[in-house]
Amino acid sequence: MSFAAGLYVHSTPQTRSLFFVEMPMRTRLACVMIKFYLLRHRALTSQWLRFFAAGIGVSFAAVSSVFAQEADWNQFRGPNGDGHAPSGIPLAWSTTDGIAWKVPIPGRGWSSPVVGTDRIYLTTAVADDEDQDALGVDRELRALCLDATSGEILWNQKVLHQDGASAPRIHKKNSHASPTPILTKDRLFVHFGHMGTACLDLDGEIQWSQSSLPYSPTHGNGSTPVLHEGLLIYGADAAKNPFIVALHAKSGDVAWRTPRSETRAKRKFSFASPSIFKPEGGGAAQLISPASGAVFSYDPKTGQELWKAGYDEGYSVIPKPVFFGNLAFIGTGYDRATAIAVRIDDESTGDVTESHREWQITKRMAHTPSMLVAGDLLYVVSDGGIASCIEPKTGDIIWQERAGGSMSASPIYSDGRIYLLDETGTCTVLKAGREFEILSENALDERSLASPAVVGTDLLVRTEEHLFRISGK
C-alpha cells in the first residue's frame, strides 16, 4: 500500500472527502497528511501548519481553508471569516423539501447565527409593540440559544434595553440587531453597536456589559467585531468623530481606542466589519478596517495606525475585507461601489494609496455583500444580483452575469460551489470556476438579508421571522 493510500485508509470520512475537493493534488495530499498527524497527536498549532505547508510547497491559505471544515461556524462568515464552509452543503431544497426545521424567531434582527457543538446562537431586538417594525418604541436587545437538532429555543436572555425616544432611525435594510455574535468554547460575545457590547456564558448568564462608548450612528449599526488574541475589536464609524476600539474580552474594559485619521470623504459613517490579516510568510498580524474614505491597517495589539489606502469620497462602507496572498480586497461603499486590491508588504506604511493599490473595478461591484476568494479566483456579487468572477492579481473580469435578485447577504463556498442568497430568500448556487453556470435555484419565499451560516453540513438561513435549518433533498 502506498503512503498516500495508507493515510487515506486510516483517516476519517471527512478527510477522505478531501480527495474530491477541487484543489491541486499536492494540497490534497498535504491536508490528508496533516489530518493523519491530528489523529495521532490531537494538536495542531498555526505555526506548525504554516511550517508544514511551506515545506511541501503549498500555501497556508489553501491548507487552512480545508481545516475550517472541522471548526464550528463561530463568527460572521465562518471560522476563518472568509465564507468557506465544509463539504456536503445541500445543493437543492424548497419550501416543502429538504427543510430539517423552521422555527419562529421573536423580534427582528439581521445578525447571522453562530454555531457551537449542538447549539445555535443569535441576537434579536424585540419591540414593546405588536408591530416589530414600529418607530419610537422601547426594545429589548436579546441573545438566543437554540438546540441545533430540534430548533427549540433553550434560553432567551435580555442583554440591553433600548429607549425608543432616543433610538436612532434605521435604514429599511437594517435592524437594531445586525452585528453577528462571536462564539468561543465557553463565551458568547454580542454587540449592538452604539448601545453596547456584552459577554455571556453558554448558559446565557451575562459576564460583563460595556455601554460606556456611545456614538450617534447613521442608519443604525452594522459592524461585527473581530476577536483577536483576547481583544474584541470593532469600528464605531458615526457621522462625526469616528473611531475604532478594542475591548478586553475577559472584562469588557477598553484596551485601546484610536480616532480615524482624516480622509477625503465628507460623510464619515460606515458599517464595515474588520478582518485580521496574517502574512503567509510569518510576521505580525494586522487589523484591516475599511471606513469612509480609506481602508486602514492597525496594530491589533495597540491600535496604532500602520497605513491607509484612500478611495476618495467612498462612504457607508459595508463589505468585510478578504485576502489572496498579500492582497486585500476592499469594497469602497457609496455612491459608486468600487472594488479595489491593496498590496500589503514590508513597505506598507503611511499613505499607500498611490504605491500599493494594484487595481480597481467600478462597474457592477458590491455595496453590501462581502467578496469571496475560492481557489485562485475572486468572486463578487452586487446588490443588484450581478455576479462577477475576477482574476485576483490583475483585476481582469473573467465573467459577469446575473445570478439572482437584489442581494445583501455575503456568499459562501463549499464543494466547488458558490451560494448566493437574495433578499426574497432565494438561494442561487453557482459552479465556481472560469465559466458561469447555475446549478440550482432554491426559494424560501421569505425576506432575507442575513448571511447564511452552517451547522454540520446543513445551511442555516435567517429570514425576517424564521430560522431555517436546510438539509437538502
Side-chain angles (χ1 to χ4, degrees), residues 159-223:
V159 178
L160 296 167
H161 177 82
Q162 184 177 61
D163 178 61
S166 59
R169 293 180 66 91
I170 62 173
H171 192 275
K172 63 182 180 180
K173 289 189 178 182
N174 205 351
S175 73
H176 295 279
S178 290
T180 294
I182 297 174
L183 181 66
T184 69
K185 62 179 181 180
D186 58 359
R187 292 291 183 264
L188 178 71
F189 299 94
V190 295
H191 180 62
F192 296 95
H194 75 292
M195 289 301 300
T197 309
C199 172
L200 291 73
D201 66 21
L202 301 192
D203 293 321
E205 297 298 322
I206 296 174
Q207 304 302 298
W208 56 257
S209 179
Q210 167 62 267
S211 55
S212 66
L213 295 163
Y215 58 95
S216 298
T218 301
H219 301 319
N221 303 294
S223 174

Side-chain angles (χ1 to χ4, degrees), residues 291 293 311 313-317 319 330-340 366:
Y311 32 79
E313 295 291 331
Y315 69 98
S316 192
V317 180
I330 310 297
T332 68
Y334 289 79
D335 288 316
R336 186 174 189 178
T338 299
I340 66 172

Side-chain angles (χ1 to χ4, degrees), residues 18-207:
L18 296 177
F19 281 93
F20 301 99
V21 176
E22 293 184 358
M23 60 174 62
M25 181 58 69
R26 181 181 291 181
T27 303
R28 298 185 196 179
L29 180 58
C31 293
V32 175
M33 290 171 69
I34 296 170
K35 182 63 182 181
F36 187 70
Y37 176 92
L38 272 174
L39 291 173
R40 292 177 63 87
H41 299 284
R42 301 294 177 183
L44 183 65
T45 66
S46 61
Q47 290 85 357
W48 192 94
L49 190 60
R50 287 181 188 277
F51 174 80
F52 185 90
I56 61 170
V58 299
S59 73
F60 170 72
V63 175
S64 65
S65 65
V66 174
F67 284 87
Q69 298 192 37
E70 298 196 12
D72 288 324
W73 198 271
N74 64 334
Q75 62 178 333
F76 180 55
R77 305 206 73 199
N80 291 327
D82 57 7
H84 281 239
S87 298
I89 301 300
L91 174 63
W93 62 90
S94 69
T95 55
T96 57
D97 293 322
I99 307 299
W101 48 253
K102 167 186 173 182
V103 295
I105 300 298
R108 290 282 188 272
W110 291 124
S111 61
S112 297
V114 294
V115 178
T117 314
D118 58 351
R119 292 187 172 190
I120 298 166
Y121 306 85
L122 70 164
T123 58
T124 190
V126 180
D128 187 17
D129 193 280
E130 289 187 5
D131 179 6
Q132 288 299 312
D133 299 314
L135 300 176
V137 301
D138 290 1
R139 282 179 167 81
E140 292 183 350
L141 307 180
R142 307 187 71 91
L144 280 68
C145 173
L146 287 74
D147 180 272
T149 302
S150 66
E152 176 189 2
I153 295 177
L154 302 177
W155 52 258
N156 182 346
Q157 175 68 266
K158 177 182 176 181
V159 178
L160 296 167
H161 177 82
Q162 184 177 61
D163 178 61
S166 59
R169 293 180 66 91
I170 62 173
H171 192 275
K172 63 182 180 180
K173 289 189 178 182
N174 205 351
S175 73
H176 295 279
S178 290
T180 294
I182 297 174
L183 181 66
T184 69
K185 62 179 181 180
D186 58 359
R187 292 291 183 264
L188 178 71
F189 299 94
V190 295
H191 180 62
F192 296 95
H194 75 292
M195 289 301 300
T197 309
C199 172
L200 291 73
D201 66 21
L202 301 192
D203 293 321
E205 297 298 322
I206 296 174
Q207 304 302 298

Side-chain angles (χ1 to χ4, degrees), residues 274-449:
S275 296
I276 296 294
F277 172 75
K278 298 179 180 179
E280 286 195 347
Q286 297 182 35
L287 176 74
I288 309 300
S289 177
S292 293
V295 56
F296 295 88
S297 170
Y298 301 95
D299 182 337
K301 295 181 180 179
T302 66
Q304 178 187 358
E305 183 182 313
L306 303 175
W307 55 262
K308 68 179 178 182
Y311 32 79
D312 297 326
E313 295 291 331
Y315 69 98
S316 192
V317 180
I318 300 172
K320 178 180 174 69
V322 295
F323 309 104
F324 179 81
N326 69 337
L327 294 176
F329 303 112
I330 310 297
T332 68
Y334 289 79
D335 288 316
R336 186 174 189 178
T338 299
I340 66 172
V342 179
R343 187 177 75 257
I344 305 173
D345 57 25
D346 292 340
E347 298 179 358
S348 298
T349 183
D351 190 331
V352 302
T353 304
E354 300 299 327
S355 60
H356 284 63
R357 183 188 291 192
E358 294 294 299
W359 53 256
Q360 69 175 23
I361 303 172
T362 59
K363 293 183 178 180
R364 297 177 174 175
M365 293 293 100
H367 287 103
T368 306
S370 300
M371 300 181 226
L372 175 72
V373 173
D376 61 351
L377 297 172
L378 172 68
Y379 300 89
V380 181
V381 62
S382 74
D383 292 46
I386 303 297
S388 301
C389 176
I390 300 165
E391 292 280 6
K393 293 183 179 180
T394 64
D396 294 336
I397 296 175
I398 299 169
W399 51 256
Q400 200 168 61
E401 302 284 350
R402 174 160 295 285
S406 297
M407 296 191 186
S408 291
S410 295
I412 65 173
Y413 172 85
S414 172
D415 283 338
R417 304 168 185 163
I418 299 168
Y419 291 71
L420 304 174
L421 180 66
D422 75 16
E423 294 178 4
T424 68
T426 296
C427 185
T428 302
V429 184
L430 306 181
K431 181 179 179 180
R434 296 175 179 271
E435 295 184 5
F436 177 77
E437 181 181 348
I438 294 177
L439 299 176
S440 67
E441 294 177 295
N442 309 285
L444 291 179
D445 298 330
E446 293 191 24
R447 184 174 185 242
S448 181
L449 306 182

